[in-house]
Amino acid sequence: MDCPIDYKRLIYTSCIRGSLSDGDVAAIFAASRRNNGLDGVTGILLIENRRFLQVLEGPAESVDLTFERIRADERHRDVVVLDEQCEAERIFADWAMAGWPGERPANAVEKLGRLLRHAPAEVARYFPSLNVPQPV
Ligand SMILES: Cc1cc2nc3c(=O)[nH]c(=O)nc-3n(C[C@H](O)[C@H](O)[C@H](O)COP(=O)(O)O)c2cc1C
């Protein structure tokens, strides 16, 4: 999908392949923060119940190139795109890749939930475990 003026936001989920060590998680976040900072990509990565759930946002070309690399990564399989939209604004503008590797999951979940409080409902709904308040 081309987004000539705005940003692209892509949300996908995938299954962890084999065992994922703390070192693997640290390496994923290190590569994400290094590359995404250079490429203008921001987002959020949740690791939970043997699944990844990631939001990538930025210029369409950067998001596409980043996602191509991620899709080919051997550390996961069954990558499924949940949503792909052109947007005028970023949700996670200050986060090269938000997530808290090395923390107890409960802490990471609490912090990601805080970060998602200001996300539109159509994004927050993909993260039910983060207890993001939904508009009534
Ligand atoms: C679930 C998951 C999420 C990832 N997210 C990103 C990301 O946001 N940005 C990124 O550059 N690499 C990400 N990676 C890593 C890429 O697949 C790839 O290993 C990395 O971009 C290679 O970077 P390098 O050539 O600088 O080592 C992710 C990998 C996995 C398994």
Side-chain angles (χ1 to χ4, degrees):
M1 186 200 295
D2 285 335
C3 296
I5 302 170
D6 298 325
Y7 297 111
K8 176 186 275 199
R9 188 177 63 223
L10 186 150
I11 306 177
Y12 77 86
T13 186
S14 62
C15 293
I16 293 172
R17 190 196 290 270
S19 61
L20 188 76
S21 66
D22 289 350
D24 290 330
V25 174
I28 288 170
F29 276 100
S32 302
R33 288 167 178 163
R34 184 175 66 237
N35 292 321
N36 296 358
L38 293 172
D39 299 334
V41 172
T42 51
I44 180 172
L45 173 62
L46 177 66
I47 306 173
E48 191 180 54
N49 298 330
R50 304 234 5 107
R51 299 194 70 87
F52 294 113
L53 184 60
Q54 189 170 29
V55 181
L56 297 167
E57 55 182 19
E61 197 190 353
S62 300
V63 169
D64 289 344
L65 286 172
T66 302
F67 186 53
E68 252 174 57
R69 278 201 315 274
I70 296 173
R71 199 189 256 289
D73 197 302
E74 298 272 313
R75 288 169 287 204
H76 62 174
R77 60 181 170 77
D78 301 338
V79 176
V80 176
V81 174
L82 300 172
D83 194 32
E84 205 179 356
Q85 302 282 341
C86 298
E87 296 292 339
E89 288 181 27
R90 296 174 192 255
I91 304 170
F92 308 106
D94 297 332
W95 299 88
M97 191 46 60
W100 281 266
E103 281 204 55
R104 284 182 296 125
N107 290 355
V109 161
E110 195 267 330
K111 288 176 182 169
L112 289 172
R114 273 160 59 192
L115 197 52
L116 270 168
R117 260 191 316 220
H118 304 295
E122 71 262 26
V123 172
R125 75 190 172 91
Y126 289 110
F127 297 85
S129 65
L130 300 185
N131 300 317
V132 185
Q134 296 288 309
V136 281

